[in-house]
Amino acid sequence: MLEGIEGVSSFANEIDNTFIIVTVITLLLFVVTIGSMLYFVYKYSSSKVKKEDAQNIKHYTPIEIAWTVIPTILMMIVFYFGLESLRVQRTMPSDDMAQVVKVTGQRWFWTFEYENGKKTNELTVPKDTAIKLVMTAPEEDVLHSFFVPAFRIKEDVLPGTTTYLWFNAEKMGRYDIQCAEYCGTRHSYMRSFVNVVSKEDYKNFLFPKKEEPKKTAIDLFNDYGCVGCHSLEDMVLVGPSFKDIYNKEVSITSKGVKKVIKRDENYLRNSILNPQDDVVEGYVPHLMPSFKNVINEEELNTIIKYFKGEKEEVKKEKTIDGLSLIQNNGCIGCHSLDGSKIVGPTFKDIYNRKVVVTKGDEKIELTSNEEYLKNSILDPKVEVVENYPNIMPSFKGLLKDEEVDAIIEYLKTIK
Ligand code: HEC
Ligand code: HEC
Ligand SMILES: [Cu+2]
């Protein structure tokens, strides 16, 4: 079915039924009034009735009563269903009965903030759960309207005022959100999605599991107690030192036979998995426990790499990504990356370009260096680029210092 036509919230059916009832009743009234009119126009047309036969009926009580009482009843039916469906829609669940999500509508993007402080640009909600939306717009913004056709909900989002909506989505899926109040140039782009997911997925969404960092060889040596018997330095403990052993020769006793072999990868693997096979000369046999079925293949590889002296790739700490910041903060609703003019100047080649700004009453030419870019993001009202409207919201307090820096670093790269 076309998305949005099928209702997926708990009260969608009730609202759909109300629409059907209203439509049927109005159709009925339309057919009866227009139908009888057409019939009488035909029946009493001037060609069929002589003038002198025409009579002026003054009063006819039964018909007066009928056309007062019947429409009144029909209208009361419409009123009843209208009121009932409005009531379910507008009776908000209490905060402890519902998941509360804060919604901010602003030119021209939506921001959703969940109970744990997480923020997104698409709304994600669990299935079969009452969701209460607490909605507002920043003081200096304009009117918007939050509309999810599939849930049959719509409500204005106003600067400086809080409005509410609630719903309980009964089917998983991805549904349109559209601003339904004309709010300027990019109004039609002020759209997003509601993702209805299972309760479990919602939990993972709110509290993503951190990937455990991969263990290094040293971690493994500690975890498996190897360091109790092997030193990593040039020292003999209970077993031989691990220092520089790869590809070096060693005398061993292999199944009762003494020989000198090279410590290649296979030998090292086998020494860990089946230490009883080859015993290094001068050491107590059968002391080292077997790590077969204890150490997995991946860990074994890590250890072998260590012996080989290969550097382990140390995972870089996740840096803040400028591109996702400008996507998630609505910058690209007003600034293009490809040189086209949307609402604000394009980000293409923005770094170190000459720009004319109005500062107070003066017009000055500047170079867009880091400081200028930073001020443009945090105090956009101070220097306004010539020929552009002074509507960029300030991101002071919304972006952390390091986030602003990451954005600027990213802006520098857009060529
Ligand atoms: C209880 C003490 C003990 C523990 C624990 C132990 N080893 Fe050993 N290991 C030895 C001894 C003793 C030898 C020498 C005798 C032999 O070859 O069995 C040895 C030999 C080795 C050798 C061959 C060394 C060479 O010079 O050729 C390797 C490789 C090795 N161990 C790796 C490990 C790793 C990896 C671990 C931890 C997962 C570990 N061992 C845990 C006692 C231990
Ligand atoms: C509502 C639309 C809008 C949003 C959202 C917006 N801006 Fe702007 N921005 C503008 C407009 C319009 C201008 C030009 C007028 C001015 O300087 O204030 C501008 C100017 C700028 C400038 C100076 C541009 C130049 O050519 O010198 C920078 C840098 C900037 N914005 C960065 C950002 C960043 C980063 C974000 C997101 C964190 C953002 N903007 C979000 C509308 C917006
Ligand atoms: Cu809008």
Side-chain angles (χ1 to χ4, degrees):
M1 202 178 236
L2 272 176
E3 193 197 310
I5 289 197
E6 184 194 11
V8 296
S9 64
S10 53
F11 46 63
N13 255 343
E14 225 162 319
I15 288 165
D16 290 353
N17 288 342
T18 305
F19 268 94
I20 291 169
I21 288 162
V22 171
T23 311
V24 167
I25 290 179
T26 31
L27 260 180
L28 203 76
L29 292 177
F30 178 84
V31 169
V32 170
T33 42
I34 303 297
S36 50
M37 182 191 85
L38 291 177
Y39 172 70
F40 291 132
V41 163
Y42 166 78
K43 182 165 179 196
Y44 299 111
S45 65
S46 59
S47 59
K48 293 210 179 97
V49 183
K50 283 188 225 112
K51 248 209 174 101
E52 49 275 29
D53 289 345
Q55 267 184 46
N56 194 7
I57 301 169
K58 288 230 175 68
H59 190 79
Y60 185 60
T61 308
I63 207 164
E64 295 268 353
I65 289 173
W67 74 37
T68 308
V69 171
I70 294 171
T72 304
I73 293 171
L74 292 177
M75 286 306 131
M76 289 315 283
I77 294 173
V78 169
F79 175 68
Y80 171 79
F81 282 100
L83 187 68
E84 275 304 293
S85 57
L86 188 69
R87 212 172 47 81
V88 287
Q89 217 185 31
R90 297 311 312 173
T91 311
M92 296 295 146
S94 64
D95 283 2
D96 50 322
M97 299 281 286
Q99 294 277 336
V100 178
V101 180
K102 283 192 209 146
V103 179
T104 309
Q106 106 192 60
R107 278 172 297 179
W108 285 278
F109 62 105
W110 298 102
T111 317
F112 303 98
E113 186 179 339
Y114 304 84
E115 279 166 345
N116 69 344
K118 181 173 177 139
K119 282 188 188 169
T120 57
N121 287 115
E122 283 189 7
L123 178 59
T124 297
V125 295
K127 181 175 170 274
D128 294 328
T129 308
I131 311 292
K132 183 172 168 184
L133 304 177
V134 177
M135 311 190 294
T136 192
E139 288 284 350
E140 73 278 25
D141 216 272
V142 299
L143 308 189
H144 303 279
S145 176
F146 186 85
F147 181 32
V148 184
F151 296 168
R152 312 291 190 252
I153 55 170
K154 177 155 130 193
E155 180 66 36
D156 283 2
V157 177
L158 313 169
T161 307
T162 306
T163 53
Y164 303 89
L165 272 178
W166 86 280
F167 61 88
N168 186 337
E170 293 179 320
K171 214 176 138 199
M172 294 206 267
R174 189 169 156 85
Y175 308 101
D176 287 309
I177 298 173
Q178 173 69 54
C179 177
E181 182 80 56
Y182 180 67
C183 55
T185 349
R186 304 272 295 170
H187 162 70
S188 56
Y189 290 88
M190 193 167 163
R191 58 198 297 273
S192 181
F193 293 95
V194 195
N195 299 301
V196 180
V197 300
S198 67
K199 286 183 184 163
E200 176 139 353
D201 286 350
Y202 183 67
K203 233 187 246 148
N204 293 338
F205 160 80
L206 274 193
F207 305 98
K209 284 196 200 83
K210 285 210 188 72
E211 233 183 272
E212 292 234 349
K214 230 181 104 192
K215 285 194 171 147
T216 63
I218 312 275
D219 296 333
L220 296 169
F221 292 154
N222 282 307
D223 289 357
Y224 290 114
C226 323
V227 286
C229 301
H230 296 280
S231 129
L232 306 182
E233 307 304 321
D234 228 345
M235 212 190 320
V236 172
L237 301 177
V238 181
S241 156
F242 282 163
K243 194 166 184 212
D244 293 332
I245 57 172
Y246 184 63
N247 267 348
K248 299 268 162 61
E249 290 189 339
V250 64
S251 313
I252 57 162
T253 309
S254 184
K255 290 169 192 134
V257 185
K258 267 200 181 159
K259 51 183 171 184
V260 176
I261 52 106
K262 221 183 193 178
R263 292 166 168 127
D264 59 11
E265 183 170 337
N266 283 337
Y267 164 80
L268 291 172
R269 274 175 185 274
N270 199 48
S271 297
I272 297 167
L273 299 177
N274 304 300
Q276 66 284 356
D277 289 357
D278 308 315
V279 179
V280 182
E281 197 173 51
Y283 291 92
V284 184
H286 310 308
L287 186 64
M288 170 160 166
S290 161
F291 287 92
K292 205 181 200 157
N293 303 329
V294 177
I295 288 186
N296 67 33
E297 187 57 30
E298 199 190 331
E299 293 171 328
L300 197 57
N301 288 336
T302 308
I303 292 175
I304 300 294
K305 267 196 190 145
Y306 174 88
F307 286 142
K308 287 182 170 172
E310 283 173 25
K311 287 250 166 56
E312 292 180 57
E313 332 82 80
V314 185
K315 250 204 206 147
K316 262 200 265 155
E317 237 188 85
K318 207 173 165 263
T319 46
I320 321 170
D321 164 19
L323 176 62
S324 16
L325 283 169
I326 65 171
Q327 282 168 340
N328 295 339
N329 286 287
C331 319
I332 49 169
C334 295
H335 296 280
S336 80
L337 302 179
D338 62 2
S340 56
K341 177 175 168 179
I342 313 179
V343 179
T346 178
F347 281 159
K348 192 174 174 209
D349 293 321
I350 189 168
Y351 186 57
N352 269 342
R353 75 180 163 205
K354 291 265 177 291
V355 55
V356 178
V357 298
T358 314
K359 188 172 185 178
D361 299 326
E362 276 179 278
K363 270 203 167 61
I364 40 178
E365 196 184 66
L366 300 165
T367 306
S368 60
N369 53 18
E370 284 181 23
E371 195 189 332
Y372 165 79
L373 291 175
K374 189 164 192 160
N375 292 338
S376 298
I377 298 168
L378 298 178
D379 288 308
K381 304 269 178 278
V382 177
E383 292 165 341
V384 180
V385 183
E386 190 183 28
N387 297 329
Y388 284 94
N390 183 3
I391 57 162
M392 169 154 165
S394 164
F395 286 87
K396 206 179 231 154
L398 295 175
L399 293 170
K400 295 193 207 92
D401 279 351
E402 61 263 33
E403 290 177 326
V404 175
D405 293 343
I407 289 176
I408 292 172
E409 281 313 308
Y410 181 71
L411 291 182
K412 287 181 181 175
T413 66
I414 309 173
K415 292 270 180 294

